[in-house]
């Protein structure tokens, strides 16, 4: 992709400024070394007031020499040694139950040293914060745990949990707007002034006014857009490019600047 176009740079900046916490690019930058905000978010999701995050890594990678590795949006550990994988997903296929299962298994994969007792496995929780109601129950949150059906669904007690937060949920008439619903709203806010949480709002103001952080996010947007443009070109998926533009993940200026598309293809992309 060609570099240095003022039109592309300005369009990319506008794209980043329009991002919410539902964008993994903004979410990762937002949470980088920010234990306080992650403590708040997890306290709301887990419905706990004793939670404190003492370790946090964004884009945390677990390699696997034998099969597929994983990269978590955010990996965090609390004072009790419980571990969390937190993912934001705008595309339903990225939050499939089997992906949740695999992420959970990979947290265990790296948890024990050779010969260490099974009981040393930490409690783990995989959390997907999704753009849509992936599980389809019109609930703000879904908790998934193993249970024993023959024992009246008694907990299996393996200390693993999967949680889906439904980012599409809106409070019903007469329903109290609790901390979770307020958090869901905050994940969709473009402007800090619209956020319910002062803590998250202050961080949003900071990150969108920081030239360094804005510059870093613009670079990530352009790298991602270039990757998707090449992939869509290879696979002949003009509609995929149009979807990415509509979702605010890339812009027409970036696609045009890439030099990958013919004038006819660009006309098709820009068509309603």
């Amino acid at each position: 992709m060609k570099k240095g176009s003022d039109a592309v740079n300005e369009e990319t900046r506008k794209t980043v400024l329009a991002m919410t916490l539902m964008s993994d690019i903004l979410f990762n930058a937002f949470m980088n070394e920010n234990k306080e905000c992650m403590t708040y978010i997890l306290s709301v999701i887990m419905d706990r007031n004793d939670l404190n995050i003492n370790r946090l890594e964004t884009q945390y990678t677990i390699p696997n020499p034998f099969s597929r590795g994983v990269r978590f949006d955010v990996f965090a550990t609390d004072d009790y040694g419980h571990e969390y994988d937190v993912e934001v997903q705008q595309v339903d296929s990225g939050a499939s139950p089997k992906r949740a299962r695999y992420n959970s298994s990979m947290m265990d994969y790296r948890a024990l040293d050779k010969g260490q007792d099974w009981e040393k496995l930490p409690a783990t929780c995989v959390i997907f914060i999704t753009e849509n109601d992936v599980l389809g129950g019109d609930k703000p949150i879904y908790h998934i745990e193993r249970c024993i059906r023959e024992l009246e669904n008694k907990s299996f007690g393996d200390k693993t949990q999967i949680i889906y937060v439904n980012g599409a949920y809106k409070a019903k008439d007469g329903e109290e707007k609790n901390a979770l619903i307020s958090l869901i709203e905050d994940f969709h806010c473009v402007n800090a002034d619209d956020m319910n949480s002062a803590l998250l709002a202050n961080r949003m103001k900071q990150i969108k006014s920081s030239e360094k952080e804005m510059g870093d996010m613009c670079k990530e947007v352009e790298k991602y857009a270039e990757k998707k443009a090449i992939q869509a070109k290879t696979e002949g998926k003009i509609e995929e490019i149009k979807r990415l533009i509509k979702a605010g993940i890339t812009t027409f200026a970036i696609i045009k600047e890439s030099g990958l598309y013919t004038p006819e293809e660009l006309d098709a992309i820009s068509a309603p």
Side-chain angles (χ1 to χ4, degrees):
M1 182 178 287
K2 301 174 187 176
K3 304 295 181 185
S5 165
D6 290 340
V8 170
N9 292 340
E10 182 58 30
E11 286 295 320
T12 304
R13 186 177 181 84
K14 288 179 181 178
T15 295
V16 173
L17 286 172
M19 283 180 175
T20 70
L21 284 172
M22 286 306 310
S23 162
D24 60 352
I25 290 174
L26 178 65
F27 182 73
N28 288 325
F30 193 99
M31 291 301 161
N32 187 35
E33 298 183 0
N34 197 326
K35 297 175 185 176
E36 187 178 14
C37 283
M38 184 50 62
T39 293
Y40 168 73
I41 288 171
L42 286 176
S43 294
V44 172
I45 293 172
M46 305 302 293
D47 193 22
R48 287 172 49 187
N49 56 19
D50 63 338
L51 194 150
N52 181 62
I53 294 302
N54 58 36
R55 176 191 174 192
L56 182 150
E57 293 186 47
T58 57
Q59 295 295 287
Y60 179 76
T61 300
I62 302 176
N64 187 339
F66 305 107
S67 56
R68 181 170 182 166
V70 294
R71 184 172 61 189
F72 300 156
D73 283 348
V74 175
F75 175 77
T77 305
D78 69 19
D79 285 346
Y80 297 97
H82 300 173
E83 296 181 346
Y84 306 87
D85 162 31
V86 185
E87 308 281 340
V88 293
Q89 278 296 329
Q90 293 179 297
V91 180
D92 292 359
S93 60
S96 72
K98 287 189 176 178
R99 184 183 178 192
R101 167 187 164 186
Y102 196 73
N103 280 17
S104 180
S105 71
M106 288 297 286
M107 292 176 82
D108 287 344
Y109 167 78
R110 43 147 295 282
L112 295 181
D113 294 328
K114 187 175 181 180
Q116 196 171 9
D117 191 273
W118 307 114
E119 295 304 317
K120 298 295 184 182
L121 276 172
T124 63
C125 185
V126 174
I127 299 170
F128 280 101
I129 304 171
T130 61
E131 180 87 20
N132 303 311
D133 186 7
V134 174
L135 299 185
D138 195 26
K139 304 291 185 184
I141 192 167
Y142 304 91
H143 297 84
I144 300 99
E145 298 180 34
R146 290 187 177 96
C147 64
I148 307 169
R149 288 189 295 176
E150 289 77 11
L151 297 179
E152 299 180 343
N153 291 326
K154 177 183 176 182
S155 173
F156 185 50
D158 62 352
K159 303 297 183 183
T160 62
Q161 188 176 30
I162 295 169
I163 292 176
Y164 281 69
V165 177
N166 172 16
Y169 188 82
K170 298 185 185 302
K172 305 295 187 290
D173 290 342
E175 182 179 10
E176 178 186 0
K177 192 172 88 168
N178 58 23
L180 179 61
I181 294 174
S182 294
L183 179 66
I184 290 170
E185 290 179 351
D186 285 352
F187 263 74
H188 290 280
C189 289
V190 172
N191 300 312
D193 291 342
D194 297 328
M195 302 180 92
N196 298 291
S197 164
L199 177 66
L200 299 185
N202 287 337
R203 175 60 179 143
M204 185 69 87
K205 287 178 182 176
Q206 178 190 46
I207 197 169
K208 287 191 175 181
S209 62
S210 164
E211 286 302 316
K212 181 183 184 307
E213 291 184 294
M214 283 292 296
D216 289 344
M217 287 189 289
C218 284
K219 289 176 184 177
E220 288 301 313
V221 167
E222 291 184 358
K223 282 167 53 180
Y224 182 78
E226 181 173 13
K227 176 182 174 182
K228 287 297 182 181
I230 294 171
Q231 181 181 342
K233 173 68 174 179
T234 302
E235 298 175 359
K237 294 182 177 178
I238 296 296
E239 291 302 315
E240 175 64 9
I241 288 295
K242 295 175 76 169
R243 185 192 69 78
L244 292 171
I245 292 172
K246 184 177 180 181
I249 296 171
T250 187
T251 66
F252 181 75
I254 292 174
I255 296 302
K256 184 177 180 180
E257 186 74 7
S258 72
L260 294 169
Y261 293 88
T262 66
E264 292 76 15
E265 288 171 328
L266 290 171
D267 286 343
I269 291 169
S270 63

